[in-house]
């Protein structure tokens, strides 16, 4: 069995992506990152990696075997989760990207996410609590009043409280316009919240003294009716335990656990149905969970998207990390497993060969390498864009537009193709792959959540085609960057064929985009949005592979060049353009002209 601690994320690849390809050192020349250097970046990554290996990997299997239990009063979790998260918080990693006044070190997000990749690869279920908490804190920092930051963000950054996001309801998943949770204004300016929320990760536990719920709800109109649509949605903080103006914990709020959802994977993160305002914790008082509004009434969904977009990139990171770990486990197994002989050496008296020598296994591993390393590159590229939005210069506006465009891709592409890397890992291990004796089957089950998590694949497709490519400067800016890479790559004889292929495919998808947005029938335009997302995501990752190949080639001049690593990057790029980029034409084939087969399908025809 392979050593799970050695099959998390390749540090050599992380260093290449951050330092050689993304050139993060150019970011830390600017405020607010000037306290950092190549040394502090390396030391921080060392810290993430060591905590992942020492505190998270050891209980990953236990999380899967002993999922959360609810006895009607309290939720019981694997006790090692609490210890691991305490180590994470005590090391300052919960607040790593924050300012010093709340315990942070102003770490670039690109470095933070590279470090978090180790945590997701080690134990997605346990690190999920920290991931949600960091996003909840960033939401409050961006949109909450100063007193909310003092009372809720600081405890979260210290690991004394964890955060959640409460959006979905039993009758309203992605259709948030249809939520029914209501918030009634009290004389003191706070609200009493009534309603039920579903699929709430981290919604109830005893890992911390408090849980900070960010809750979407509607404030009734003067006639008592809930406003229709999304414009009437507001956002509230409704903690598990009330917090007074001095930050002291008070009585239990009226937030009750209705039950646990039992998942096929990701079992370490408790997933809950919560009832707000059912009166269980106010037997002698007025029912209703006490909530404090974040920002202005009616703008809650816009505020929540701050957290959701961060969560979507985080989902992509988790999917990339689990896909990456699965790939490394498969690679390790293929190097050790002896099975069969090459066709050119069929003499049964000769020794069996490691399966990595067989062409089909090479094909699978190359595909998994492309998916895993491509996914991580995509997410870290978006993280660098976020860092650029924090630098006060003209590049910030461009970075924001590009990040807005690429967010649905950063969520969906790793969720699909990182999972494909896990599927391949099971196949490489053969019969051993679907046994519990090896970690690849758990990695697959854990990762299977991510195509659904934070907006399904189809929701991301509608967002990309219906909104993102049609607004702002994002698409034009992306086109400029792709063209720059193509022009530079054409100067190298190795990369020139890939550059020409990318140029042709990008022009093709640009024409299809124009044709789709020329359609007056919105249902027809979006009928095959998922195929558009597939094509768009594949070409974006193809561009990133070509750009990585350029950076890898540049390393050859160094006397310390790692030629095996460089050759691996170039071969993966070659494979991607030979095997993956041609898939785009099939997806575009149902978009221009639009194939209306699915649109015309009727319920009773099934």
């Amino acid at each position: 069995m392979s050593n799970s601690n050695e099959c998390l994320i390749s540090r050599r690849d992380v260093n290449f992506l951050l330092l050689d390809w993304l050139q993060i050192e150019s970011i830390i020349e600017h405020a607010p990152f000037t306290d950092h250097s190549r040394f502090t970046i390396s030391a921080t990554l060392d810290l993430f990696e060591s905590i992942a290996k020492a505190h998270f990997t050891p209980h990953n299997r236990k999380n899967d075997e002993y999922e959360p239990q609810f006895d009607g009063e309290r939720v019981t979790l694997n006790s090692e989760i609490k210890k691991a998260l305490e180590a994470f918080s005590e090391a300052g990693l919960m607040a790593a990207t924050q300012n010093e006044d709340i315990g942070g070190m102003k770490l670039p997000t690109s470095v933070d996410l590279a470090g978090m990749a180790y945590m997701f690869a080690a134990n997605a279920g346990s690190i999920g609590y920290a991931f949600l908490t960091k996003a909840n804190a960033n939401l409050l920092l961006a949109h909450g009043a100063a007193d909310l930051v003092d009372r809720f963000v600081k405890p979260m950054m210290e690991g004394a409280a964890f955060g959640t996001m409460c959006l979905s309801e039993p009758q309203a998943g992605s259709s948030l316009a249809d939520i029914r949770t209501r918030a009634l204004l009290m004389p003191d300016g706070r609200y009493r919240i009534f309603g039920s929320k579903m699929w709430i990760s981290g919604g109830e536990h005893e890992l911390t003294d408090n849980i900070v719920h960010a809750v979407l709800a509607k404030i009734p109109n003067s006639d008592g009716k809930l406003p229709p649509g999304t414009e009437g949605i507001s956002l509230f903080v409704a903690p598990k335990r009330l917090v007074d103006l001095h930050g002291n914990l008070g009585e239990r709020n009226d937030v009750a656990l209705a039950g646990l959802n039992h998942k096929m994977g990701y079992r370490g993160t408790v997933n809950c149905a919560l009832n707000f305002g059912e009166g269980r914790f106010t037997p002698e008082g007025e029912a209703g969970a006490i909530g404090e509004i974040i920002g202005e009434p009616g703008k809650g969904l816009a505020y929540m998207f701050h957290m959701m977009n961060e969560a979507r990139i985080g989902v992509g990171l988790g999917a990339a990390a689990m896909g990456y770990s699965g790939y490394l486990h498969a690679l390790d197994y293929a190097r050790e497993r002896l099975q069969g002989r090459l066709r050119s050496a069929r003499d049964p008296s000769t020794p069996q060969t490691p399966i990595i020598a067989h062409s089909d296994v090479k094909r699978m591993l190359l595909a998994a390498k492309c998916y895993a390393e491509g996914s991580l590159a995509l997410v870290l590229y978006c993280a660098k864009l976020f860092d650029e939005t924090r630098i006060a210069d003209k590049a910030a506006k461009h970075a924001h537009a590009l990040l807005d465009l690429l967010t649905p891709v950063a969520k969906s592409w790793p969720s699909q193709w990182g999972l494909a890397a896990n599927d391949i890992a099971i196949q490489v291990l053969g019969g051993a792959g679907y046994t519990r004796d090896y970690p690849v089957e758990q990695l697959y089950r854990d990762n299977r959540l991510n195509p659904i998590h934070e907006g399904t694949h189809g929701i991301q497709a509608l967002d990309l085609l219906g909104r993102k490519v049609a607004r702002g400067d994002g698409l034009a800016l992306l086109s400029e960057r792709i063209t720059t890479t193509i022009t530079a790559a054409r100067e190298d004889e190795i990369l020139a064929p890939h550059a020409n292929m990318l140029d042709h495919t990008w022009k093709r998808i640009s024409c299809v985009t124009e044709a789709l947005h020329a359609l007056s029938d919105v249902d027809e335009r979006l009928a095959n949005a998922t195929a558009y997302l597939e094509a768009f995501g594949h070409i974006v990752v193809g561009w990133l592979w070509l750009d990585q190949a350029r950076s890898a080639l540049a390393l050859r001049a160094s006397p310390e060049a790692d030629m095996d690593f460089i050759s691996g990057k170039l071969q993966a790029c070659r494979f991607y353009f030979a095997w993956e980029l041609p898939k785009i034409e099939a997806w575009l084939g149902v978009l221009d002209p639009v194939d209306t087969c699915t649109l015309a399908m009727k319920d009773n025809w099934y």
Side-chain angles (χ1 to χ4, degrees):
M1 185 183 297
S2 57
N3 184 344
S4 292
N5 265 343
E6 301 307 317
C7 294
L8 298 181
I9 303 291
S10 164
R11 180 58 179 272
R12 178 67 188 88
D13 192 31
V14 169
N15 288 342
F16 167 78
L17 292 173
L18 288 179
L19 300 173
D20 300 311
W21 177 52
L22 293 174
Q23 299 182 347
I24 294 303
E25 286 177 285
S26 66
I27 291 290
I28 60 179
E29 294 174 353
H30 303 274
F33 309 119
T34 51
D35 289 343
H36 290 283
S37 64
R38 179 182 281 250
F39 174 79
T40 63
I41 289 172
S42 179
T44 304
L45 291 174
D46 288 344
L47 181 60
F48 271 108
E49 186 175 1
S50 64
I51 288 179
K53 291 178 177 180
H55 297 281
F56 285 81
T57 301
H59 71 275
N60 187 41
R61 173 61 74 184
K62 188 174 179 180
N63 273 0
D64 193 60
E65 294 173 342
Y66 303 99
E67 60 183 315
Q69 299 295 321
F70 177 45
D71 61 8
E73 295 295 329
R74 61 190 293 268
V75 172
T76 303
L77 300 174
N78 171 13
S79 61
E80 293 172 60
I81 297 175
K82 180 178 177 66
K83 297 175 183 177
L85 290 167
E86 286 174 347
F88 182 85
S89 298
E90 288 169 3
L93 297 180
M94 191 77 82
T97 61
Q98 307 298 348
N99 293 331
E100 293 95 332
D101 59 344
I102 52 174
M105 60 180 88
K106 294 190 288 190
L107 190 71
T109 297
S110 47
V111 180
D112 185 57
L113 290 194
M116 288 294 285
Y118 283 101
M119 315 307 297
F120 277 109
N123 191 324
S126 290
I127 201 60
Y129 298 95
F131 158 62
L132 283 168
T133 300
K134 287 157 75 86
N136 184 302
N138 286 334
L139 165 66
L140 284 171
L141 285 166
H143 303 292
D147 72 301
L148 295 182
V149 171
D150 289 339
R151 290 156 54 216
F152 295 110
V153 173
K154 290 183 178 180
M156 286 194 283
M157 293 299 90
E158 295 167 355
F162 289 163
T164 74
M165 53 194 302
C166 300
L167 292 79
S168 298
E169 299 181 2
Q171 83 295 337
S174 299
S175 181
L176 294 175
D178 299 311
I179 66 170
R180 299 173 185 165
T181 299
R182 65 192 191 280
L184 306 180
L185 182 62
M186 298 166 57
D188 63 5
R190 297 183 298 171
Y191 291 78
R192 289 196 177 274
I193 299 174
F194 300 86
S196 298
K197 294 293 181 178
M198 191 64 167
W199 312 118
I200 310 306
S201 295
E204 175 60 32
H205 54 72
E206 296 184 7
L207 297 172
T208 51
D209 294 332
N210 207 4
I211 303 173
V212 181
H213 300 295
V215 186
L216 288 182
K218 292 184 176 182
I219 302 171
N221 294 325
S222 57
D223 59 4
K225 296 181 179 179
L226 296 180
T230 60
E231 293 184 0
I233 297 175
S234 299
L235 182 61
F236 303 86
V237 171
K240 175 181 176 178
R241 292 180 63 184
L242 298 178
V243 179
D244 68 20
L245 295 178
H246 303 290
N248 301 311
L249 289 180
E251 63 187 14
R252 177 75 185 255
N253 203 0
D254 194 9
V255 183
L257 176 63
L260 301 184
N261 301 306
H262 299 284
K263 305 169 293 182
M264 68 179 280
Y266 229 104
R267 293 175 178 171
T269 304
V270 61
N271 192 272
C272 308
L274 296 178
N275 289 337
F276 291 79
E278 70 172 26
R280 184 185 303 183
F281 298 106
T282 55
E284 298 178 357
E286 185 179 356
I290 302 298
E292 298 178 64
I293 196 164
I294 299 173
E296 299 178 30
K299 296 185 178 181
L301 193 58
Y303 299 148
M304 183 61 92
F305 264 103
H306 186 284
M307 184 173 180
M308 288 175 66
N309 284 334
E310 182 175 343
R312 285 171 174 173
I313 292 174
V315 167
L317 176 71
M322 285 182 268
Y324 209 129
S325 183
Y327 158 63
L328 292 181
H329 279 290
L331 179 61
D332 188 63
Y333 182 89
R335 286 170 169 162
E336 296 179 357
R337 171 65 169 167
L338 301 178
Q339 185 73 33
R341 297 163 184 84
L342 298 180
R343 299 291 293 183
S344 58
R346 298 288 289 171
D347 184 349
S349 65
T350 60
Q352 294 191 83
T353 185
I355 63 173
I356 198 170
H358 296 296
S359 292
D360 195 54
V361 176
K362 290 182 179 182
R363 174 192 62 81
M364 289 189 285
L365 290 172
L366 263 172
K369 178 180 176 71
C370 284
Y371 301 153
E373 294 181 13
S375 292
L376 186 59
L378 171 62
V379 174
L380 294 184
Y381 182 84
C382 289
K384 185 189 177 185
L385 290 175
F386 183 79
D387 288 333
E388 290 174 355
T389 67
R390 298 176 65 190
I391 296 173
D393 63 16
K394 62 182 180 181
K397 183 178 180 181
H398 289 176
H400 188 278
L402 270 171
L403 182 60
D404 186 55
L405 172 70
L406 292 176
T407 293
V409 181
K411 187 274 176 187
S412 60
W413 201 92
S415 296
Q416 179 172 1
W417 298 100
L419 181 66
N422 292 126
D423 183 77
I424 289 170
I426 292 173
Q427 189 70 17
V428 169
L429 268 67
Y434 58 82
T435 68
R436 297 178 191 171
D437 298 321
Y438 293 84
V440 293
E441 64 88 26
Q442 182 186 341
L443 283 166
Y444 180 90
R445 287 186 290 102
D446 285 347
N447 211 354
R448 186 57 186 86
L449 169 65
N450 288 314
I452 300 170
H453 218 177
E454 303 306 335
T456 64
H457 203 60
I459 292 295
Q460 306 305 319
L462 293 173
D463 183 35
L464 177 66
L465 181 57
R467 287 186 288 270
K468 298 301 176 63
V469 299
R471 75 182 189 194
D473 300 324
L475 191 61
L477 291 166
L478 179 63
S479 185
E480 288 178 12
R481 297 200 179 193
I482 290 175
T483 301
T484 298
T485 299
I486 289 170
T487 301
R490 279 176 170 155
E491 296 178 2
D492 187 282
E493 62 179 359
I494 295 175
L495 302 182
H498 306 331
N500 292 333
M501 187 176 183
L502 183 65
D503 185 34
H504 169 78
T505 309
W506 179 247
K507 289 175 179 175
R508 172 88 167 96
I509 202 170
S510 297
C511 290
V512 170
T513 303
E514 291 181 11
L516 287 170
H517 282 279
L519 296 174
S520 58
D521 187 332
V522 65
D523 290 328
E524 184 177 348
R525 183 192 316 151
L526 299 177
N528 302 323
T530 299
Y532 184 85
L533 175 64
E534 303 273 19
F536 197 91
H538 244 55
I539 198 167
V540 166
V541 175
W543 160 54
L544 297 181
W545 265 114
L546 184 59
D547 211 45
Q548 284 188 74
R550 287 183 57 235
S551 295
L553 280 172
L555 294 177
R556 293 186 304 181
S558 170
E560 300 176 354
D562 184 343
M563 292 308 300
D564 285 338
F565 178 83
I566 293 169
S567 297
K569 282 291 181 185
L570 295 176
Q571 197 74 349
C573 180
R574 176 184 174 188
F575 181 89
Y576 194 93
F577 276 82
W579 290 73
E580 294 297 325
L581 214 65
K583 294 177 180 178
I584 293 175
E585 192 57 43
W587 289 316
L588 296 182
V590 298
L591 291 163
D592 185 25
V594 173
D595 180 82
T596 57
C597 178
T598 57
L599 192 62
M601 186 65 179
K602 297 186 183 299
D603 186 351
N604 57 355
W605 293 357
Y606 287 102

